Amino acid sequence: MSIFPRISLKPEVTEYLRSVFLNKEVLAAVGHQEAEQRFQKLLLCLSHPPSHTCVRASTHLAPLEEIREKLRGELKKACSSPAEEIQIVTHPRVDDVLLLPVDGPRPVTQLSSEVVVGAQCGSAVLRGAHVFPPGIIACPKFMKVGDVVSVSFDLEGRCTRGAFSFQGNKVFVGNGVAEIDRSSIFCADEPPRGVGVRMVEPLYRSPSFDGILPSLVFLQNLPSVVVGHVLGPQPGERILDMCAAPGGKTCHIAALMGDQGEVVALDRIRNKVDQIRQNAQLLHLQSIKAYCFNSVRAVSDDPSQETEGPPFPPESFDRVLLDAPCSSLGQRPSMSCTWSLKETCSYPPLQRKLFHAAVQLVKKGGVLVYSTCTVTLAENEEQVAWALKTFPYLTLQPQEPHIGAEGMLGAGLSAEQLRLLQRFRPELSWEQTDTTAPLACRADRDTIGFFIAKFLKI
Ligand code: SAM
């Protein structure tokens, strides 16, 4: 039985999502009861972390086995009980991935002394992080270094910064030891550096990767790693990543090319572009060129004018990745989303504008991959149906590896088209009791919600 509530959404958003997951085509295929059960499972699994932590290994810098052994050594050193066996498994179909099981939910007793953290911080703690001072919203009046405290997550964003306690809607995520006192958190001019609360009894135990082999391992959800492989970049090619920050997929693409060729990374938010550059530097990748640019305008009006940076003439790239801005409703763990229906449904027009630019920028014979981390039809299968109609010279391609489910019914796509799409659907597998299945099999099913479509421009 789960101790966490389902993800909390505005009622209008819940009803909208129900209409997506119980659409006519789905009801005709699986019936009302099964469709409703899947939908309820989705709401429940979104608030829980996946059953494994996935890291992408920098196999452009060292062999996978060497990275695995180094990681085992580093995690053992950082572990509170070094005798504990750390399980790190490789993935049979994704050759630069390492998986570590997550242990939880574990029985942990809640204490009376409590630190309250914000949504982002709470989600990070559920995935193995410690608490850093900027995430702390409230803490006991006399909290000092060494105090043992419980950590809870403010579900609705209602706790006042600097409060001593909070009685609102919150969820307990584990116990830890304060490494900083109250006055340093709230009275200093700048938030202090370092760990605020070191989690010693987390509800979900998985390693903290803070400072662990920063150039050799990169925390990345499994479907995001799959995207890089599906794009299939080759050494020497010129690739465009249109919505690239913080650069997880950009760096993966460059690594898959052995850093030979050019990866152009665009993002419209300036300080996020700095993150792309920092990640490229950390992973020793020279082939990445990052620019702050609105990708809707990435196609040059004057195709004769060649410039190094954006905008670019049409057909400038061998492959284009459009990892589109989206409603992010597949992210896990996500305990609440305060968005209105209007906000939730606001992305398709922007995604289509970006898609128009993507189609123009990819060469004839080139590959275009479209991906999102959301679960709606409007941002996924319906965008594919629109793209195939609007650009008749695009064809759907098989994906390798294909480890997620096929596309979801409801957008009028044929069975053959749906088979070519890859949708990661945690609701189809979550809470299956077969804990004896190999970790990689469980990891394939228990992911964030994610969608990938691969097109060829003919
Ligand atoms: N691909 C990234 C990765 O794997 O690290 C994640 C990308 S995130 C899903 C979407 C990104 O699109 C955000 O960083 C956002 O700033 C950016 N974005 C949104 N609208 C954009 C636009 N018009 N042009 C360029 N980037 C945009």
Side-chain angles (χ1 to χ4, degrees):
M1 214 15 220
S2 171
I3 49 171
F4 274 5
R6 289 170 166 73
I7 183 173
S8 143
L9 301 166
K10 287 231 151 85
E12 63 201 45
V13 176
T14 307
E15 274 324 298
Y16 164 69
L17 276 185
R18 174 178 278 112
S19 72
V20 170
F21 279 77
L22 276 72
N23 73 60
K24 272 191 199 151
E25 283 189 61
V26 169
L27 291 180
V30 302
H32 191 280
Q33 199 184 350
E34 176 65 25
E36 179 68 35
Q37 261 174 17
R38 287 181 183 180
F39 175 60
Q40 292 303 329
K41 266 193 194 172
L42 174 76
L43 296 183
L44 193 55
C45 75
L46 288 178
S47 61
H48 291 65
S51 60
H52 62 280
T53 299
C54 176
V55 294
R56 180 166 57 73
S58 297
T59 47
H60 62 293
L61 298 178
L64 186 69
E65 248 337 287
E66 189 181 316
I67 297 175
R68 171 153 85 156
E69 283 321 304
K70 278 193 174 153
L71 180 59
R72 198 190 301 283
E74 288 298 308
L75 291 178
K76 266 203 152 151
K77 268 195 254 164
C79 187
S80 48
S81 47
E84 210 175 283
E85 191 46 44
I86 294 171
Q87 200 188 347
I88 308 176
V89 303
T90 53
H91 193 288
R93 294 187 56 199
V94 192
D95 61 12
D96 48 5
V97 149
L98 294 171
L99 298 164
L100 296 90
V102 172
D103 175 19
R106 305 156 63 242
V108 181
T109 309
Q110 194 167 355
L111 311 167
S112 56
S113 187
E114 182 182 61
V115 164
V116 180
V117 300
Q120 224 183 336
C121 177
S123 298
V125 169
L126 287 172
R127 295 201 81 169
H130 298 298
V131 174
F132 289 84
I136 299 178
I137 308 174
C139 75
K141 192 169 183 183
F142 301 109
M143 187 175 87
K144 56 185 189 318
V145 175
D147 283 359
V148 180
V149 290
S150 279
V151 176
S152 294
F153 173 150
D154 169 19
L155 260 185
E156 293 162 9
R158 298 214 169 159
C159 178
T160 315
R161 198 178 142 72
F164 299 133
S165 63
F166 176 60
Q167 301 314 320
N169 211 348
K170 57 193 173 182
V171 175
F172 170 62
V173 294
N175 296 331
V177 178
E179 294 204 348
I180 219 155
D181 59 26
R182 183 186 163 89
S183 61
S184 314
I185 300 169
F186 297 118
C187 302
D189 291 341
E190 275 183 35
R193 289 172 179 273
V195 172
V197 178
R198 188 164 296 278
M199 298 305 295
V200 290
E201 276 191 307
L203 205 59
Y204 282 85
R205 189 181 288 287
S206 55
S208 159
F209 283 82
D210 185 39
I212 304 274
L213 302 178
S215 41
L216 289 181
V217 295
F218 193 93
L219 269 174
Q220 202 167 19
N221 287 300
L222 182 62
S224 297
V225 185
V226 169
V227 171
H229 290 282
V230 167
L231 185 68
Q234 302 298 315
E237 287 185 335
R238 191 171 190 223
I239 313 258
L240 175 64
D241 187 353
M242 293 181 76
C243 296
K249 296 184 189 74
T250 313
C251 291
H252 189 204
I253 293 165
L256 288 173
M257 292 160 71
D259 210 19
Q260 303 296 307
E262 188 183 350
V263 185
V264 175
L266 306 182
D267 202 282
R268 81 166 172 201
I269 298 182
R270 187 161 301 279
N271 52 14
K272 286 191 170 187
V273 176
D274 294 337
Q275 290 177 350
I276 305 175
R277 295 194 181 115
Q278 281 160 18
N279 279 326
Q281 204 176 12
L282 198 66
L283 301 182
H284 307 291
L285 294 161
Q286 319 287 327
S287 57
I288 294 171
K289 295 205 168 72
Y291 302 94
C292 178
F293 203 78
N294 178 355
S295 290
V296 169
R297 306 213 180 92
V299 190
S300 163
D301 288 340
D302 178 3
S304 64
Q305 212 174 8
E306 272 277 1
T307 51
E308 200 189 275
F312 302 101
E315 316 224 318
S316 288
F317 296 93
D318 298 294
R319 294 168 205 265
V320 173
L321 172 61
L322 173 52
D323 186 36
C326 68
S327 55
S328 303
L329 285 167
Q331 285 296 352
R332 293 174 60 192
S334 168
M335 299 226 180
S336 75
C337 173
T338 52
W339 282 9
S340 65
L341 184 59
K342 196 173 166 199
E343 287 168 298
T344 307
C345 296
S346 65
Y347 285 92
L350 171 62
Q351 291 161 348
R352 288 184 185 189
K353 283 184 194 157
L354 289 163
F355 203 99
H356 264 284
V359 172
Q360 289 179 73
L361 288 169
V362 72
K363 289 178 184 168
K364 280 200 185 74
V367 165
L368 163 54
V369 168
Y370 173 82
S371 57
T372 75
C373 60
T374 198
V375 298
T376 67
L377 272 177
E379 295 172 78
N380 297 323
E381 288 82 356
E382 284 179 9
Q383 295 295 47
V384 170
W386 164 82
L388 293 172
K389 211 167 136 197
T390 312
F391 310 102
Y393 44 87
L394 288 184
T395 59
L396 278 177
Q397 294 296 297
Q399 302 184 26
E400 185 50 43
H402 197 303
I403 59 184
E406 56 188 47
M408 198 166 86
L409 288 163
L413 293 169
S414 69
E416 195 192 336
Q417 288 168 327
L418 290 176
R419 269 196 295 277
L420 292 168
L421 302 176
Q422 182 156 207
R423 187 187 255 259
F424 289 84
R425 302 186 64 174
E427 76 276 14
L428 295 187
S429 67
W430 195 68
E431 277 198 345
Q432 275 180 354
T433 44
D434 186 9
T435 48
T436 56
L439 180 64
C441 294
R442 281 181 279 143
D444 284 355
R445 294 187 220 116
D446 191 11
T447 61
I448 62 167
F450 204 90
F451 179 83
I452 311 173
K454 178 177 184 175
F455 300 90
L456 181 72
K457 181 172 167 182
I458 46 176

